[in-house]
Amino acid sequence: MRTNRKYKVLTFTFDEWNKIEKLAERCKMKTATFIKTAALKGKVFVIDLKENREYVTALNRIGQNINQIARIANETGYIHPDDLQRLEDFKEEICRISKSYQSKIQSLAA
């Protein structure tokens, strides 16, 4: 036994244990890790990015556009004022998408 740890024996009914195991599996966590996380943080959230494909796709598209502007700027040593405006627009779109995604996550947590 490690000396820098506190050990506590917990007792669960079979139904409780089965529920905990299923929740831990759903979170892709070991059972003990799930129990510790739930005890310390109060809640455990599973967010499947596949269900949020629209956010990921939008951010990927913005990233590709920013990379194109960066590539041209690096090749020419110059960035066109229109491209600077596009970068500002992308920044605003990223903020909008992030707020929308955060709002969705918070609604799931409520």
Side-chain angles (χ1 to χ4, degrees), residues 1-7:
M1 283 189 142
R2 294 182 182 174
T3 57
N4 64 343
R5 307 255 178 177
K6 173 74 175 164
Y7 293 89

Side-chain angles (χ1 to χ4, degrees), residues 39-99:
L40 293 172
K41 297 189 178 183
K43 291 184 180 181
V44 178
F45 298 100
V46 178
I47 299 171
D48 186 1
L49 289 179
K50 292 176 187 172
E51 294 175 6
N52 300 294
R53 177 72 58 203
E54 63 185 278
Y55 297 108
V56 175
T57 301
L59 291 173
N60 282 337
R61 183 178 44 79
I62 292 169
Q64 290 170 352
N65 288 329
I66 291 171
N67 284 338
Q68 289 174 357
I69 293 171
R71 187 173 32 252
I72 291 169
N74 286 329
E75 288 173 0
T76 64
Y78 171 78
I79 186 162
H80 194 274
D82 290 344
D83 289 335
L84 285 174
Q85 182 57 49
R86 286 179 59 206
L87 288 173
E88 184 63 33
D89 294 343
F90 290 144
K91 183 184 95 171
E92 290 172 11
E93 191 173 352
I94 289 170
C95 288
R96 183 188 58 75
I97 291 168
S98 297
K99 285 179 184 176

